Amino acid sequence: MTYRLRYSDHALEDIDRLYDYLLVHDREIARRAYEAIIKAAEILREFPFTGRKLSNEDSLLRELLVPFGSSGYVMLFEIEDSQTVTILAIRHQREDDYH
């Protein structure tokens, strides 16, 4: 079964923020980071339960680790129903928490 993948407005803002941060330093690295995030998100279309549960109370709210370089990103997402996965937020692993 293939799930429909949605991005919240907040997640889209996170992608822009993360991309813009890297773009100042290196255009190629910014592009590769963007592609890594999008590629990881696409995995959720087929395997949404791949991500780790955030709590035992809500098994549908999950995180997915996105490796990139020596660290990577963390994607917060929710399995909304039997057809839809929504990416809620994305942060760099060195950031404190989701904004």
Side-chain angles (χ1 to χ4, degrees):
M1 169 174 209
T2 300
Y3 286 72
R4 182 170 67 104
L5 186 61
R6 297 180 43 225
Y7 291 84
S8 71
D9 289 341
H10 187 82
L12 293 173
E13 290 169 6
D14 286 340
I15 291 171
D16 287 343
R17 176 180 55 82
L18 295 165
Y19 180 81
D20 289 345
Y21 175 80
L22 290 174
L23 190 59
V24 171
H25 303 288
D26 187 319
R27 179 173 297 228
E28 179 60 20
I29 290 175
R31 182 191 63 78
R32 289 185 8 234
Y34 173 82
E35 288 175 356
I37 290 169
I38 299 304
K39 185 177 179 180
E42 289 297 318
I43 291 169
L44 299 176
R45 288 185 187 276
E46 298 293 327
F47 306 105
F49 291 95
T50 297
R52 66 181 176 197
K53 292 187 288 186
L54 288 182
S55 73
N56 289 330
E57 292 81 37
D58 186 355
S59 64
L60 301 179
L61 187 61
R62 295 173 172 254
E63 284 185 326
L64 181 66
L65 298 178
V66 182
F68 186 77
S70 62
S71 58
Y73 300 94
V74 182
M75 187 177 299
L76 176 67
F77 68 96
E78 181 177 24
I79 302 168
E80 297 219 15
D81 55 38
S82 64
Q83 299 175 348
T84 309
V85 173
T86 300
I87 297 170
L88 302 172
I90 304 164
R91 66 174 171 84
H92 191 274
Q93 287 180 345
R94 293 184 180 154
E95 288 182 277
D96 288 337
D97 207 348
Y98 299 105
H99 300 277

